[in-house]
């Protein structure tokens, strides 16, 4: 009786474990439990791993610049298309800690400034910062564009430019183009208009400085609000564009993202470099240093013109002045005839590629992409790639423009990239092990239930064999 009771108990135990395992698989209890723990941990709060990584990113960040050197300036002034040669990279190590951090509204918000410092890396660069680059004279183009409808001032400025020997193109060093040089034309205009800065550089005043005060949501109330920008420079929306939708400040600053990501999610980011918000969509699964991730990238419709994407109508400035897909006119916020695009006009109208000899757009080299671990939202790898262009056209009141064709002229493209550091990889791998164990625990229970079930069947067979043998022996003994 005791033996039979144990055997039947084994069978019942097997069924119970199988039911438990299947129930756990169907209900996803353990994955939901792990996600709840991660959501609780990934908030901007003193002492958390998420806060430490947000305040001072542990992974090395690099900024690389690739300049376009103009090879045929005289021919361009005669009406031919520009021919350029890409020169680079010129690489800088970027440090971007959050400073002046202050928690607000019971820890639901945090204010900070993101100070960025760039240190030149000669061993990772094509050459020194003293390399010479021939490109568009952006200060001159800006001044000419400003006074093109005022003939008297335009003629005076044109005559003065001729006396200085300044034209539509200029040759400056890499360091001067990036961080600033004193321009003679601007220096003279400053005497007439003191608020004009006589120093020009594409990233002038951007080294060891910040782009203003941010107020971020900490994720305390909702995990999807982790590191989301609430206000920038005291404003919850922009005022450069012509529609409320285009003026919205959406998403994070592109350096942090909320945990527990899904493939059908749309990630919003605000970029002060682009003077707008944009978004990225899931593209493919990736693996970075043996850590699984999702790749997100901005689709082509983000920078499409209004015929392709009517939501972008507000980015046409002045209203109705749309240049085409793939380029963004940021002159309203940069104070110069600057247009932004992807490098080599990747995902832009083919016209822009054909207008400049030397453009070779390629997804692998020129796409902006972010690889994120879906559980933690940690950035595994990222590359922000942008190109700075100048709108060049013939201005009849300025002889310096000659017969130049109307063209969006590429000046430089940048690649701001990061790959997760090894110390963070080790921490993340521990989380991945915990995730693997918790996710597979129900299946382990199902396997254990099957093994115990097989044991039950074996014991039942063992029990019946002796009984049948004993029944056969009883007639022999009686005879």
């Amino acid at each position: 009786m005791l033996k039979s009771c144990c055997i039947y108990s084994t069978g019942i135990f097997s069924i119970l474990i199988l039911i438990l395992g299947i129930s756990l698989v169907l209900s996803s209890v353990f994955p939901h439990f792990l996600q709840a723990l991660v959501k609780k941990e990934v908030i901007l709060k003193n002492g958390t791993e998420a806060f430490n990584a947000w305040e001072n990113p542990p992974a090395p960040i690099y900024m690389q610049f690739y300049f376009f050197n103009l090879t045929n300036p005289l021919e361009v002034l005669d009406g031919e298309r520009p021919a350029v040669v890409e020169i680079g990279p010129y690489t800088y190590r970027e440090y971007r800690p959050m400073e002046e951090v202050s928690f607000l509204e019971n820890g639901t918000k945090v204010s900070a400034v993101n100070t960025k410092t760039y240190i030149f890396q000669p061993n990772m660069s094509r050459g020194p910062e003293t390399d010479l680059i021939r490109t568009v004279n952006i200060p001159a183009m800006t001044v000419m564009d400003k006074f093109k409808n005022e003939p008297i001032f335009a003629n005076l400025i044109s005559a003065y430019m001729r006396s200085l020997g300044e034209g539509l193109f200029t040759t400056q060093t890499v360091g001067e183009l990036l961080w600033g040089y004193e321009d003679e034309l601007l220096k003279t205009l400053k005497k007439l208009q003191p608020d004009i800065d006589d120093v020009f550089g594409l990233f002038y005043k951007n080294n060891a400085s910040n782009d203003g005060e941010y107020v971020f949501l900490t994720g305390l109330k909702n995990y999807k609000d982790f590191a989301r920008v609430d206000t920038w420079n005291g404003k919850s929306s922009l005022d450069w564009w012509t529609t409320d939708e285009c003026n919205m400040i959406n998403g994070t600053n592109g350096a942090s993202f909320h945990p527990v990501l899904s493939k059908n999610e749309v990630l919003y980011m605000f970029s002060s470099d682009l003077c707008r918000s944009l978004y990225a969509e899931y593209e493919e699964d990736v693996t970075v240093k043996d850590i699984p991730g999702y790749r997100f990238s901005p689709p082509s419709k983000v920078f499409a013109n209004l015929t392709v994407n009517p939501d972008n109508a507000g980015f046409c400035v002045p209203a109705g002045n749309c240049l085409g897909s793939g380029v963004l006119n940021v002159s309203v916020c940069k104070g110069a005839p600057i247009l932004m695009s992807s490098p080599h006009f990747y995902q832009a109208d083919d016209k822009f590629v054909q207008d400049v000899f030397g453009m070779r757009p390629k997804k692998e080299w020129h796409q902006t992409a972010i690889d994120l671990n879906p559980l933690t939202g940690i950035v595994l790898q990222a590359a922000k790639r942008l190109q700075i262009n100048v709108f060049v056209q013939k201005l009849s009141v300025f002889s310096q423009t000659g017969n130049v064709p109307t063209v969006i002229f590429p000046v430089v493209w940048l690649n701001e990239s990061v790959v997760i550091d090894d110390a963070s990889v080790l921490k993340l791998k521990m989380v991945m092990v915990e995730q693997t164990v918790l996710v597979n625990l129900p299946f382990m229970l199902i396997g254990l239930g099957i093994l115990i079930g097989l044991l039950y069947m074996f014991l039942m067979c063992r029990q019946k064999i002796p009984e049948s043998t004993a029944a056969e022996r009883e007639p022999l003994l009686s005879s």
Side-chain angles (χ1 to χ4, degrees):
M1 287 290 293
L2 181 62
K3 186 177 180 180
S4 297
C5 185
C6 289
I7 292 172
Y8 288 122
S9 297
T10 302
I12 293 169
F13 187 56
S14 165
I15 294 170
L16 290 174
I17 290 180
L18 278 170
I19 293 172
L20 177 62
I22 293 169
S23 299
L24 290 174
V25 169
L26 295 175
S27 61
S28 301
V29 169
F30 287 120
H32 289 156
F33 173 71
L34 181 61
Q35 290 174 4
L37 287 178
V38 172
K39 290 174 184 177
K40 188 176 180 181
E41 178 64 21
V42 182
I43 58 173
L44 295 179
K45 180 182 178 182
N46 268 322
T48 63
E49 289 277 354
F51 176 78
N52 293 336
W54 171 83
E55 186 179 36
N56 195 9
I61 305 169
Y62 293 97
M63 180 73 90
Q64 295 176 304
F65 296 98
Y66 297 82
F67 285 87
F68 294 105
N69 189 60
L70 180 65
T71 60
N72 62 338
L74 296 178
E75 289 82 356
V76 174
L77 290 173
D78 285 337
E80 293 187 20
R81 70 170 177 163
V84 297
V85 175
E86 181 181 290
I87 300 178
Y90 296 91
T91 305
Y92 294 78
R93 173 72 187 271
E94 180 182 332
Y95 297 88
R96 48 184 305 167
M98 290 291 182
E99 298 180 338
E100 301 176 28
V101 178
S102 177
F103 287 94
L104 310 168
E105 299 183 22
N106 297 321
T108 60
K109 297 179 181 180
V110 59
S111 64
V113 294
N114 193 197
T115 302
K116 297 179 182 179
T117 304
Y118 302 94
I119 307 297
F120 186 60
Q121 307 292 302
N123 60 324
M124 297 176 68
S125 302
R126 175 195 178 276
E129 289 181 294
T130 52
D131 281 356
L132 293 172
I133 304 293
R134 184 194 289 122
T135 187
V136 175
N137 188 340
I138 300 178
M141 194 67 230
T142 303
V143 172
M144 288 189 291
D145 186 68
K146 183 177 181 179
F147 292 98
K148 63 185 178 183
N149 295 321
E150 300 179 38
I152 296 175
F153 287 109
N155 287 325
L156 290 172
I157 292 169
S158 181
Y160 183 67
M161 288 176 65
R162 282 194 294 272
S163 70
L164 292 175
E166 282 204 32
L168 184 61
F169 303 110
T170 184
T171 300
Q172 305 291 339
T173 68
V174 167
E176 289 171 338
L177 287 172
L178 288 176
W179 313 117
Y181 61 94
E182 190 176 68
D183 183 83
E184 287 298 323
L185 178 59
L186 295 179
K187 188 177 179 180
T188 301
L189 289 175
K190 185 178 177 68
K191 295 175 182 177
L192 303 174
Q193 195 171 335
D195 60 333
I196 292 178
D197 201 322
D198 58 358
V199 175
F200 170 79
L202 293 168
F203 289 83
Y204 175 53
K205 292 183 178 180
N206 281 12
N207 201 350
S209 64
N210 62 75
D211 58 348
E213 184 187 55
Y214 287 84
V215 173
F216 300 92
L217 298 179
T218 61
L220 188 62
K221 289 183 176 180
N222 186 335
Y223 78 97
K224 287 196 172 184
D225 286 337
F226 173 75
R228 183 166 69 83
V229 178
D230 185 51
T231 63
W232 177 58
N233 286 331
K235 297 180 180 180
S236 57
S237 63
L238 307 173
D239 53 16
W240 294 310
W241 311 111
T242 57
T243 64
D244 292 339
E245 185 176 2
C246 292
N247 277 319
M248 292 175 68
I249 295 177
N250 292 327
T252 70
N253 67 343
S256 304
F257 296 90
H258 70 76
V260 192
L261 296 163
S262 65
K263 292 182 179 181
N264 59 0
E265 206 156 349
V266 177
L267 300 182
Y268 288 90
M269 293 159 279
F270 169 68
S271 171
S272 62
D273 294 330
L274 288 172
C275 312
R276 60 164 287 184
S277 298
L278 63 155
Y279 60 89
E281 296 176 344
Y282 169 82
E283 184 176 327
E284 61 180 344
D285 282 20
V286 295
T287 301
V288 180
K289 295 187 177 181
D290 297 324
I291 302 293
Y294 294 164
R295 173 162 294 175
F296 288 84
S297 61
S300 58
K301 61 183 179 182
V302 170
F303 297 106
N305 65 19
L306 62 85
T307 58
V308 179
N309 184 3
D311 293 338
N312 284 345
F315 293 120
C316 299
V317 287
N321 182 27
C322 302
L323 296 171
S325 291
V327 294
L328 177 69
N329 184 354
V330 294
S331 58
V332 288
C333 71
K334 299 295 184 183
I338 299 292
L339 294 92
M340 304 297 287
S341 70
S342 292
H344 287 250
F345 299 111
Y346 170 69
Q347 290 186 328
D349 287 345
D350 190 57
K351 175 184 183 300
F352 303 126
V353 178
Q354 298 303 322
D355 281 351
V356 181
F357 181 81
M359 296 292 99
R360 297 177 181 87
K362 193 172 182 179
K363 179 180 179 179
E364 293 78 8
W365 298 342
H366 305 135
Q367 180 193 42
T368 291
I370 310 162
D371 299 342
L372 303 171
N373 176 252
L375 177 63
T376 61
I378 290 174
V379 177
L380 304 178
Q381 184 174 258
K384 183 176 80 173
R385 294 161 175 154
L386 298 173
Q387 181 170 293
I388 299 173
N389 312 280
V390 178
F391 185 74
V392 176
Q393 62 180 332
K394 178 181 177 179
L395 301 173
S396 57
V397 288
F398 287 99
S399 60
Q400 286 79 8
T401 60
N403 290 313
V404 66
T406 299
V407 64
I408 296 177
F409 190 96
V411 177
V412 62
W413 72 270
L414 58 91
N415 177 29
E416 187 177 24
S417 61
V418 63
V419 178
I420 188 171
D421 61 295
D422 292 338
S424 297
V425 166
L426 290 174
K427 293 177 183 177
L428 201 47
K429 281 184 175 180
M430 291 177 64
V431 176
M432 293 299 101
V433 170
E434 293 174 7
Q435 182 185 25
T436 302
V437 170
L438 286 173
V439 168
N440 291 316
L441 190 56
F443 297 101
M444 294 165 66
L445 287 174
I446 291 172
L448 180 61
I450 292 171
L451 288 175
I452 295 174
L454 292 173
L455 177 62
Y456 165 72
M457 293 172 66
F458 174 74
L459 292 174
M460 285 296 291
C461 290
R462 276 289 295 269
Q463 186 183 32
K464 288 180 179 180
I465 289 171
E467 290 175 358
S468 60
T469 305
E472 290 173 359
R473 286 179 179 176
E474 281 181 5
L476 294 172
L477 291 171
S478 61
S479 62

